[in-house]
Each structure stands twice: as structure tokens, then as C-alpha cells.
Amino acid sequence: MPLSGDLLRLADAVIFPGFTGHTPPDWLRRRLGDGLAGVVLFTRNIAGPGQVAELTAALRAENPSVLVGIDEESGEVTRLEVATGSSRPGAYALGVVDDVALTESLARGLGSDLARAGISIDFAPSADVNSNPDNPVIGLRAFGADPALVARHVRAFVRGLQSAGVAAGAKHFPGHGDTAVDSHHGVPVVAESGIDDALHPFREAIDEGVKVVMTGHLLVPSYDAERPATLSPKVLTGLLREELGFDGLIITDGIEMAAVSGAYGIGGASARAIAAGADAICVGGEHADEATAAGIRDAIAAAVTEGLLPEERLADAARRVRELAAWAASSGSPAPADGRAGLEAARRAIRVTRRSTAPVLPLTGAPYVVELAPLMNLAIDRNTPWGVGAPLARLLPGTDVTRLEAGQATGPELERLIGLAAGRPLVVVVRDVHRYAWQTAALEHLLSARPDTVVVEMGLPARSDLGAVHVATHGSAEVCGRAAAEVLTGRL
């Protein structure tokens, strides 16, 4: 039976699609005029802050109440600064420094940048407790592995963002930290023994007044052994709404991710998420076309007519979207930008372990830098610059840099690089070396030939006993690389 126009408009009022291009496509303008709730921006939509401000102004010209969301965590997951790398370190580095005033200040500055660009929701901070060092998708995005530390920095980040008038979105509820599966590809399972620790930062975020909670596509058997959290009334309504008392907006993580769409399709997963207690559907990381957005709208409306989704539940979800839009339109006070705060934070996060009595640092001659580059998860844009070679070359002209990916770090290639580095300092940059056998093998090969090598770890530093000097940056943001280059050259 045909779906009514009113029902379709009500379904549109809970959908946040992505799109392609630096300006709104015609289909998006039409849908915004008909009441589409909001949009999610990705790096494909961003050329610079001025362009983003023009883009969001164009969106609001079609619908003044539109909510504009973005994944801007700082550090590894950056959208606004994808071309240059983030000017602020990520959560893990801030957890290492453990200065909540610093975290709040950086989040306020980030919120101010977002507000000036016309963005109303930031899907940050990660409230995940990264208690599993082999986690393939959280890692440096979390403030750490201690629930109390994570909680206090989550609160500080929420305060900072929301003071600038940008809604914070704590994620990935009920906690993606103690998992070993990437929910882009499968269904992670949260162990019952760790659920209380995982929930602690979310409880604190709710107490702090966080406006948005983003669901994780996680199976939590202690609450629901059959449905991942995004699709589970027991988790979203029973746990998040009733037990934890959250009264703000619940938005899904990307609904096209295999952990939820695999069984039901994108539209079916969307309808089930709203029925479970979600208020908004995030989509468009991988499917940013009109047909996907229209298919979700139609599936939600059809679920109402078929009895899967009560219309009252859908109307309640749309109400929460409107309430957040009203808050975003009237809240916050952007602060002046502090261009050095992020670098100062990155400097404070550096940790150096000297394992040789030889005077390895500071480097006085131009070094040879080998960067071992693993394939990162989908949350991290692969075009985001990272590393130590480029900032080191600015401080020591003549520095040479070679970057190797898996499959390129062969024995002959490593021997060739050892030859090129003869008579020069050798710096090897790794990223989560403990998680990648090929990085470990390549590093061991280089160290066997050059025990005077300086090792810079830009991921999680599971080991500090590698190299004559081991430098842990606790992040791979642009400022982390700059701070490491200062350490290597004795400027810090």
C-alpha cells in the first residue's frame, strides 16, 4: 500500500545521510526542504574551513533547523584537518598527560572551530575503555585503559565542546574498547566481565549533560544475546534510557556497517534501530547516494505500516531531533583560536626511553628515516598525513624518508635501506608495532644491523625496549610528529 506523505516526512525527520561534493546536491536540497533531519559530513565534503562554512550555510538555507554532524575526534580521526593532519593530539595522548583542564581547553577550541564552520554535532569523544591492546578500531581514539581516567577526560571533553555550542556525541555505547573485531566488518562481542568498566565513562558523560550518545554495533550477551546494541531495545531503551537515565539524542553509528546491515539490509537495520530506541540514523560513510537515503526513509515508513515500528516511537525520535536542533541554535560561545595549544599538548605526551649510553640524541646530522605504514581501519582517512620524516626534514635539511607498507618490507629492500643509511643516523617509525607481525619482523631486521637505531612509536606503545632510544608519541597526529622531531633534534 502507498506510504503517506506525512509518514514519509516523519521518517525523514530522523535520517542523517552523507553525500558527495563540496556543495549540496539537488536531491539533498529537496529532501532538506521536505524536513530531512540533518546530514553527516565526511572528508569528501571538505576543502577548508571557509568552504565548510559556505556549505553549512547552503544547507540551512534549505532547512534552518538542519543538524550537521561530523566525526572530528582530533588526532587520528580528523575531518576538518584531513589535508594537513590534526593540530591537536588525539584522546590517548591527552590521557597520558592526564590534565583534565588541558583536555577541556582543547575540546573548547575544537568546538569553536566546528561552530564557526556551522557544525552542530561532533561525534566525539570516544568513551571507550581500550582495555584490549589488540583492538583494531579503537586504540589511540580512547583516552586509555583505565575506566576512571577515561571517564574524567570524557567529562572534560564534553564540557569543552558543549561550551562552544556544539553537541558532544559520546561513543560507541555501550563500549567498544574490550573487543578484538572491527564492527565495520563483523559483530564484536563485549564480555560480561568488563561491562561495568565499559559503562562507567558513559554514566559520567550522562551526568555531565552530554547531548548525544552514539551506539556501537556490539553484541552484549549480558543484556541481549541475539541483537547488537544498535538494534536492541534491552540495550538502548532498557539500559541507556531507563537504567542510565539518558534523555538526549541516541544516534546510530554508520548503519551500513556489516555488524548491523548484514542481517537486515540498510533499510531494515534502520527501522529496527528506531524501534529499539535510537532517535537518528547515521549513514553515508560508504553509501552516500540519494537511493540509499530514500530507501531508509521508505523502510522506516513501511515498518510503521507493518507494525514493526510504532508510529509513537518514530514521533518521539523526531521530537528529540527537534529539541537538539533548538539547543544547537541557541547555545554556546565560540572561543578565540589558540594555534599552539595542540602542539604544547603533544609535547607533554612524549615519553623517551634511553637504552644506550652512547650519545644517540640529539641528532646532529641529517638522518635516514624509515616509516612502516600499516593499513588503518576505516574510521581513519587513509590520506591523513602522519609520520616523523616530514617534520624532521624541516629541522634537518637533507633528511631522507622511505615509507614501506606490508609486502614492501622485504629482506632485500631492508638491506638496500640499511646501505643507504650507512654513516647516518637511522630513525624507524612504527605504528602499533605489537599488532603487526610484518612490522615486528622489519624492525628486528633493521635493529640487528643497526642497534643504534632510534625507534619512534606513533601508535600504542606496548613495548619501550626497542632501539637505542625509544620515543613514544602516543598519537600520530601532525603535532605528534612535530613534537617527536623536536625531541630527536634536541629542541624539546
Side-chain angles (χ1 to χ4, degrees):
M1 111 186 197
L3 300 170
S4 75
D6 288 345
L7 185 54
L8 290 171
R9 280 188 288 276
L10 188 60
D12 249 347
V14 301
I15 303 172
F16 286 66
F19 60 96
T20 58
H22 294 162
T23 58
D26 289 344
W27 71 264
L28 183 61
R29 291 179 182 273
R30 290 195 308 272
R31 294 284 291 278
L32 287 169
D34 288 337
L36 187 70
V39 299
V40 180
L41 301 185
F42 294 87
T43 53
R44 60 174 176 251
N45 306 123
I46 294 170
Q51 169 266 325
V52 175
E54 292 178 2
L55 168 60
T56 57
L59 296 171
R60 289 193 170 86
E62 305 296 337
N63 178 357
S65 298
V66 66
L67 287 164
V68 181
I70 196 169
D71 266 314
E72 181 60 56
E73 299 175 15
S74 292
E76 289 60 47
V77 179
T78 181
R79 304 294 182 243
L80 282 184
E81 297 184 287
V82 68
T84 60
S86 179
S87 59
R88 300 174 181 90
Y92 201 89
L94 295 176
V96 167
V97 177
D98 197 13
D99 179 343
V100 292
L102 173 66
T103 296
E104 182 174 350
S105 175
L106 287 184
R108 183 181 302 112
L110 173 61
S112 297
D113 288 349
L114 295 172
R116 280 189 284 269
I119 292 164
S120 40
I121 310 174
D122 187 10
F123 302 129
S126 166
D128 304 299
V129 178
N130 196 63
S131 51
N132 184 344
D134 291 326
N135 193 311
V137 70
I138 302 301
L140 296 173
R141 301 167 66 193
F143 289 105
D146 173 49
L149 179 144
V150 173
R152 61 179 173 265
H153 286 277
V154 164
R155 292 190 75 135
F157 203 98
V158 168
R159 284 196 302 273
L161 267 183
Q162 294 188 171
S163 70
V166 174
K171 64 185 183 185
H172 306 81
F173 185 82
H176 207 320
D178 190 15
T179 61
V181 173
D182 184 343
S183 52
H184 290 89
H185 308 299
V187 183
V189 178
V190 179
E192 182 175 359
S193 59
I195 188 63
D196 288 340
D197 284 348
L199 289 175
H200 180 58
F202 290 99
R203 293 181 190 272
E204 295 292 305
I206 292 166
D207 286 347
E208 193 60 51
V210 70
K211 294 294 179 181
V212 178
V213 169
M214 174 175 274
T215 70
H217 305 325
L218 317 163
L219 194 67
V220 192
S222 54
Y223 282 89
D224 191 330
E226 298 178 356
R227 288 164 291 195
T230 297
L231 309 182
S232 171
K234 295 176 182 177
V235 175
L236 297 190
T237 299
L239 175 58
L240 182 53
R241 286 280 185 230
E242 296 172 0
E243 183 176 332
L244 301 187
F246 180 61
D247 196 39
L249 183 86
I250 302 174
I251 191 167
T252 71
D253 202 351
I255 203 70
E256 65 262 58
M257 291 161 67
V260 288
S261 68
Y264 303 105
I266 294 175
S270 299
R272 285 167 173 79
I274 299 296
D279 304 305
I281 302 297
C282 174
V283 68
E286 300 165 60
H287 297 270
D289 55 274
E290 180 179 8
T292 297
I296 292 174
R297 177 200 60 193
D298 294 349
I300 291 173
V304 173
T305 63
E306 294 164 6
L308 174 67
L309 169 62
E311 187 169 353
E312 300 78 26
R313 168 78 275 272
L314 179 58
D316 180 63
R319 173 185 63 81
R320 292 183 191 275
V321 172
R322 291 194 303 273
E323 289 176 350
L324 182 63
W327 177 88
S330 61
S331 298
S333 177
D338 183 346
R340 294 189 63 80
L343 179 58
E344 292 296 335
R347 288 167 173 162
R348 291 176 63 185
I350 295 277
R351 299 292 182 269
V352 178
T353 304
R354 299 177 186 272
R355 303 183 57 251
S356 170
T357 57
V360 178
L361 294 182
L363 303 179
T364 54
Y368 202 98
V369 180
V370 179
E371 296 178 338
L372 303 179
L375 184 64
M376 304 310 294
N377 65 72
L378 290 175
I380 301 172
D381 192 288
R382 292 169 189 173
N383 296 315
T384 306
W386 70 279
V388 175
L392 197 52
R394 291 193 290 270
L395 297 178
L396 289 175
T399 295
D400 290 311
V401 186
T402 295
R403 180 169 288 187
L404 300 177
E405 298 178 355
Q408 297 176 324
T410 62
E413 176 62 10
L414 295 172
E415 285 296 317
R416 185 182 75 84
L417 297 180
I418 290 167
L420 292 174
R424 303 171 61 177
L426 177 62
V427 177
V428 180
V429 184
V430 295
R431 200 167 174 180
D432 286 347
V433 68
H434 68 284
R435 291 186 51 234
Y436 298 94
W438 73 269
Q439 275 195 87
T440 300
L443 181 58
E444 288 175 347
H445 188 134
L446 295 169
L447 289 176
S448 67
R450 290 287 303 269
D452 62 333
T453 295
V454 176
V455 175
V456 180
E457 171 62 85
M458 301 194 78
L460 286 177
R463 295 178 60 181
S464 60
D465 61 336
L466 301 168
V469 177
H470 184 274
V471 179
T473 63
H474 301 101
S476 61
E478 187 274 339
V479 286
C480 297
R482 226 189 315 169
E486 291 178 346
V487 167
L488 298 182
T489 57
R491 289 163 171 81
L492 177 61

